[in-house]
Structures are given as structure tokens and as C-alpha cells.
């Protein structure tokens, strides 16, 4: 009897008795799950010879973690071996849910109350893009988000970002203030001299229609630079 009991106890420490992600979720809550286990719940199945948690860990390693997964383009997802169209669509849907949830938070409170939400939102929207994109967050008089428009693409200079179009968009959204934003695909976070000149030009142009520029944010995959916080606005 003692020998049998000892065998039963030792068996519980074998890897095959580790709880599956769903069982762990039910027993301990979502916060107890690793990143790979969270993704495994979404994937549901692994690949031949690769259990779902190990498969999820492989994906996260390939794309650079959960943030990389949420910002991965459809082209990147299609290159991941074992990740079929259905799973690609589910991941894209989760990414869109995250973006919309952050947008709702920005609509519900003044954006300057907590810039971390703005940073996360812009990282998800712009951080993964391989070309420069100039976007504007349009705000009401209480600084709640009204809308975000991606207005220009390509190399961004005073010649390619047209102040008149930014002003027209601000009037269309009935904005009282804006936050300018663009990404640096190179990963270099500091603003260029052209970025600073463009900010000054847009600030002056928008003042003519009584719209205030609160900040200009530079976005990379891993960080966001605030010109206002560095005294450039």
C-alpha cells in the first residue's frame, strides 16, 4: 500500500500532469497564465509533434512577444508555419479588439490625464508599419478622442504633409485640439530637424482655425517620444 501511494504522489509531478491552460485558468485565474498559455487558449491546437503551448511559445519568440503579435501584419502572420487562415483571422480580431478598447478609453476621459493609453494605442496603430505614416488624433474641448485619421504616407516633410488638409480634417471633426503623430520605421526615436519644422508649421496653421496642437508623438515598435514633454511644443 505504501509503495502504491508513493508512486501516485510521484506521478503528480510528471510533466504530463501539468494543468492545461484552460484547467489552469479555471483553477487559478487568467493572471496565472503565461503569455504562451494565453495564446494557446486562442490557438486551441498545436502542430504535429508540437503541443499547443510549445507552438504558442514558438510564435511569440518569432514575432517578439505579445506586443509583436498584436501589431503583426497579415503578411507576417502568413509566414508562420502551422498558423492557418482561421488562426490568423482570430489573432487579427484580437488585435482589433485591443485597438478599439483603447480607443473607447480615450473617448471616455481626457487623453492628457494618462498618456500611457495614447502611447499604447499609437503603438498598436502605427508601430508595426514599414512606411512612415502621419496621423492626427482629433480631440474635443475636454480633450476626449473624437477620431484618429491617418492622413499622409511616405517620407514626411513640409512638402508632403499639407497643413490645409490637416486643418480641413480638424474642422470636419469639430476638433478643438489635436495630437500629431507619426512613426519612425527605422526605430530611431528622436525627432529630426524636419519633424520639428513640420510641427511648427502645423501649429501655426491650426491656430488660424482655433485648433491647438497639444503634442507631436513619434512612434516606434517599442517606444513613443513626446515633443511636448521635451519642450519642443
Amino acid at each position: 500500500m505504501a509503495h502504491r501511494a508513493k508512486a501516485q504522489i510521484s506521478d503528480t509531478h510528471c510533466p504530463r500532469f501539468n494543468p492545461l491552460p484552460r484547467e489552469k485558468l479555471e483553477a487559478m485565474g487568467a493572471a496565472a497564465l503565461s503569455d504562451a498559455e494565453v495564446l494557446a487558449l486562442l490557438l486551441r491546437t498545436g502542430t504535429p509533434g508540437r503541443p499547443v503551448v510549445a507552438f504558442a511559445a514558438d510564435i511569440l519568440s518569432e514575432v517578439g512577444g505579445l506586443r509583436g503579435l498584436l501589431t503583426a501584419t497579415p503578411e507576417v502572420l502568413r509566414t508562420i508555419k502551422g498558423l492557418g487562415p482561421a488562426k490568423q483571422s482570430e489573432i487579427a480580431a484580437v488585435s482589433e479588439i485591443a485597438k478599439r478598447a483603447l480607443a473607447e478609453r480615450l473617448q471616455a476621459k481626457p487623453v492628457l490625464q494618462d498618456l500611457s493609453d495614447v502611447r499604447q494605442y499609437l503603438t498598436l496603430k502605427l508601430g508595426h508599419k514599414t512606411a512612415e505614416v502621419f496621423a492626427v488624433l482629433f480631440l474635443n474641448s475636454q480633450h476626449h478622442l473624437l477620431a484618429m485619421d491617418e492622413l499622409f504616407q511616405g517620407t514626411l516633410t513640409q512638402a508632403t504633409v499639407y497643413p490645409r488638409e490637416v486643418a480641413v480634417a480638424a474642422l470636419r471633426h469639430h476638433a478643438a485640439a489635436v495630437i500629431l503623430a507619426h512613426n519612425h520605421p527605422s526605430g530611431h526615436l528622436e525627432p529630426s530637424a524636419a519633424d520639428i519644422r513640420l510641427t511648427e508649421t502645423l501649429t501655426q496653421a491650426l491656430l488660424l482655425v482655433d485648433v491647438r496642437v497639444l503634442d507631436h508623438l513619434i512612434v516606434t515598435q517599442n517606444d513613443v517620444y513626446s515633443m511636448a514633454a521635451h519642450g519642443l511644443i
Side-chain angles (χ1 to χ4, degrees), residues 191-231:
S192 66
D195 293 335
I196 295 171
R197 289 195 300 270
L198 175 61
T199 306
E200 293 170 348
T201 298
L202 290 173
T203 298
Q204 293 169 7
L206 288 169
L207 280 176
L208 296 176
V209 292
D210 200 26
V211 175
R212 182 184 172 200
V213 175
L214 300 181
D215 206 343
H216 188 165
L217 302 175
I218 298 172
V219 184
T220 67
Q221 283 190 327
N222 300 311
D223 209 348
V224 176
Y225 179 100
S226 165
M227 287 195 186
H230 287 82

Side-chain angles (χ1 to χ4, degrees), residues 24-37:
K24 188 173 178 180
L25 173 69
E26 294 172 351
M28 304 173 66
L33 299 177
S34 68
D35 291 349
E37 288 170 334

Side-chain angles (χ1 to χ4, degrees), residues 71 122-129 183-185 219-222:
T71 59
L122 289 173
T123 300
L124 287 176
K125 295 286 283 187
L126 303 179
H128 65 288
K129 292 185 180 293
N183 63 315
H184 279 180
V219 184
T220 67
Q221 283 190 327
N222 300 311

Side-chain angles (χ1 to χ4, degrees), residues 4 32 36 71 73-74 79 91 99 135 139 157 177 189 212:
R4 182 180 300 173
T71 59
T73 63
T79 66
I91 291 171
K99 293 172 187 174
L139 313 175
T157 66
L189 198 59
R212 182 184 172 200

